[in-house]
Amino acid sequence: MASASKTFTRALRSTPATSAFKTATPRRFAAQGPKIHPRRGYASEAPKSSGNNTLLYGGVAALLLGGGAYYAYSSSTTANQAVKAASGEAQKATSVFTPKKEDYQKVYDAIAQKLIDEDEYDDGSYGPVLLRLGWHASGTYDALTGTGGSNGATMRFPPEGDHGANAGLKAARDFLEPIHEQFPWITYSDLWTLAAACAVQEMGGPDVHWRPGRSDRDVSYCTPDGRLPDGSKDHDHLRGIFYRMGFNDQEIVALSGAHALGRCHTDRSGFEGPWTHSPTMVTNDYYKLLIEEKWSFRKWNGPKQFQDVSTKSLMMLPTDISLTKDKTFRTYVEKYAKDQAAFFSDFSNVLTKLFELGVPFTTGEDARMAFKRTE
């Protein structure tokens, strides 16, 4: 018996099961079992009473059962926690941020504030060049093939960004880059058109109703050069360009009112000078000047352009002057020269149409929104 007890006790001290229960069992389990003297495992004599063997076996069994129960509970708890954590991470990964009107208003506000803060560009505002960016990104649309338009923001890539008509628009794209970093969920194509709408409103123009839904595309969607108006041409060229997009004569004249803003640069278009005396304010002065001012060819080394006789500080392109030479076009020029409210109404509508060309919206026109202006 002494030999058997001695063998069992040594096995108890060296078995892997004992190691497992030592590490997994809390201290309170040890307190509940029998107090075993360290030297007991090395006794040379058998216990005098068989009751002690029963106590030893019973204590070991209790300890093993208790440790196993705790291990099972602990493993189950850990597994449940892991499942919950994995489920939470999966839910986060699959959840998609769906912006609402107030989110787009925040984008508008950020652009408007940046226009206020950064007033060193040209005549004191990035507004005109932002409108030009939205205009040129949208004006590549071809109704016959369904290609081009504001959907895609393909001017990000050299083939289209390097087109002559887009010279200088890197300034507008760079201006908006920090806004995109601040709101990375908005596509570039939505951002550019929203910025153009913001620029019009912040420069005193009409509300421009806008809706999201444009996606960004890769370089393979870049449009060929030559789809935008060439200022050196005449009224036939204008009709060819704008009819291709789906505009009529009235809309062509209304869109031309964007020339109330900004100026031409010799290092971009080759032309030089502003169209009006207030190039950072949306007004109907463009039409007034076309009708009321006398225009003559400018004598200089640049391309053919006109200058006002009175101050010689303003310019008009051949396409601008052609609006007064064509009978149908002139009717609308005279209308807008007399009635700024009529111009604002038509300008707003035609800009909304322009910015939506080629966009496969999944929402209806009721999704259009008007943004609150800065105070």
Side-chain angles (χ1 to χ4, degrees), residues 4-309:
S5 175
K6 185 174 181 180
T7 301
F8 171 79
T9 305
R10 286 177 178 173
L12 183 65
R13 293 175 59 86
S14 61
T15 179
T18 307
S19 300
F21 110 75
K22 280 184 178 181
T23 56
T25 306
R27 294 184 181 276
R28 62 175 180 273
F29 283 101
Q32 293 172 357
K35 295 182 179 180
I36 302 176
H37 193 279
R39 292 181 57 85
R40 192 171 189 81
Y42 299 95
S44 59
E45 297 181 359
K48 295 181 180 180
S49 172
S50 60
N52 288 340
N53 281 341
T54 303
L55 180 62
L56 178 61
Y57 283 104
V60 171
L63 287 170
L64 290 175
L65 288 173
Y70 175 78
Y71 177 78
Y73 169 78
S74 176
S75 299
S76 175
T77 302
T78 303
N80 288 339
Q81 290 173 343
V83 169
K84 289 180 180 179
S87 177
E89 290 300 320
Q91 186 174 3
K92 289 179 181 178
T94 56
S95 61
V96 178
F97 173 67
T98 303
K100 300 179 180 179
K101 180 180 178 180
E102 52 265 32
D103 298 305
Y104 290 107
Q105 181 67 56
K106 290 178 182 178
V107 178
Y108 177 102
D109 293 342
I111 297 170
Q113 188 59 53
K114 195 167 169 53
L115 283 172
I116 295 172
D117 295 340
E118 300 183 19
D119 59 357
E120 74 285 356
Y121 184 80
D122 263 6
D123 297 291
S125 175
Y126 274 92
V129 76
L130 290 185
L131 173 57
R132 182 168 168 249
L133 174 65
W135 205 116
H136 283 215
S138 306
T140 58
Y141 182 64
D142 185 327
L144 183 62
T145 62
T147 58
S150 64
N151 194 50
T154 48
M155 200 192 302
R156 290 170 296 146
F157 306 109
E160 191 170 326
D162 291 344
H163 290 170
N166 293 328
L169 288 178
K170 185 178 184 299
R173 299 195 299 272
D174 289 348
F175 176 89
L176 291 173
E177 192 59 36
I179 304 295
H180 190 266
E181 292 175 359
Q182 184 179 353
F183 304 97
W185 49 264
I186 191 171
T187 62
Y188 281 102
S189 45
D190 270 346
L191 177 61
W192 291 357
T193 51
L194 191 160
C198 173
V200 171
Q201 294 190 181
E202 294 301 310
M203 291 187 290
D207 289 343
V208 179
H209 292 84
W210 177 92
R211 58 174 159 162
R214 298 160 189 80
S215 60
D216 292 336
R217 294 178 169 181
D218 61 38
V219 67
S220 66
Y221 287 89
C222 285
T223 57
D225 200 357
R227 289 194 176 185
L228 294 168
D230 181 343
S232 67
K233 304 296 185 179
D234 60 10
H235 56 276
D236 289 332
H237 168 77
L238 287 178
R239 284 196 172 96
I241 292 291
F242 286 94
Y243 283 6
R244 186 204 71 227
M245 290 186 266
F247 292 112
N248 59 35
D249 286 354
Q250 172 265 316
E251 292 170 322
I252 293 173
V253 179
L255 274 175
S256 298
H259 282 175
L261 301 165
R263 62 171 57 239
C264 288
H265 304 76
T266 55
D267 60 343
R268 299 176 186 179
S269 63
F271 301 105
E272 182 182 54
W275 286 269
T276 70
H277 294 292
S278 54
T280 61
M281 289 293 295
V282 182
T283 66
N284 67 336
D285 286 353
Y286 169 74
Y287 304 105
K288 288 182 177 181
L289 288 165
L290 276 174
I291 298 296
E292 300 171 4
E293 183 61 69
K294 291 182 179 181
W295 299 91
S296 63
F297 286 117
R298 177 182 176 182
K299 296 178 181 179
W300 73 316
N301 293 327
K304 179 182 177 181
Q305 71 176 63
F306 294 83
Q307 66 180 8
D308 68 306
V309 174

Side-chain angles (χ1 to χ4, degrees), residues 301-338:
N301 293 327
K304 179 182 177 181
Q305 71 176 63
F306 294 83
Q307 66 180 8
D308 68 306
V309 174
S310 301
T311 68
K312 293 182 173 53
S313 63
L314 302 178
M315 60 83 64
M316 288 287 173
L317 302 173
T319 48
D320 297 316
I321 297 298
S322 74
L323 296 180
T324 66
K325 304 300 183 182
D326 181 271
K327 183 177 179 180
T328 304
F329 283 159
R330 187 179 178 93
T331 300
Y332 296 110
V333 172
E334 291 174 347
K335 175 184 176 181
Y336 297 144
K338 295 175 182 177

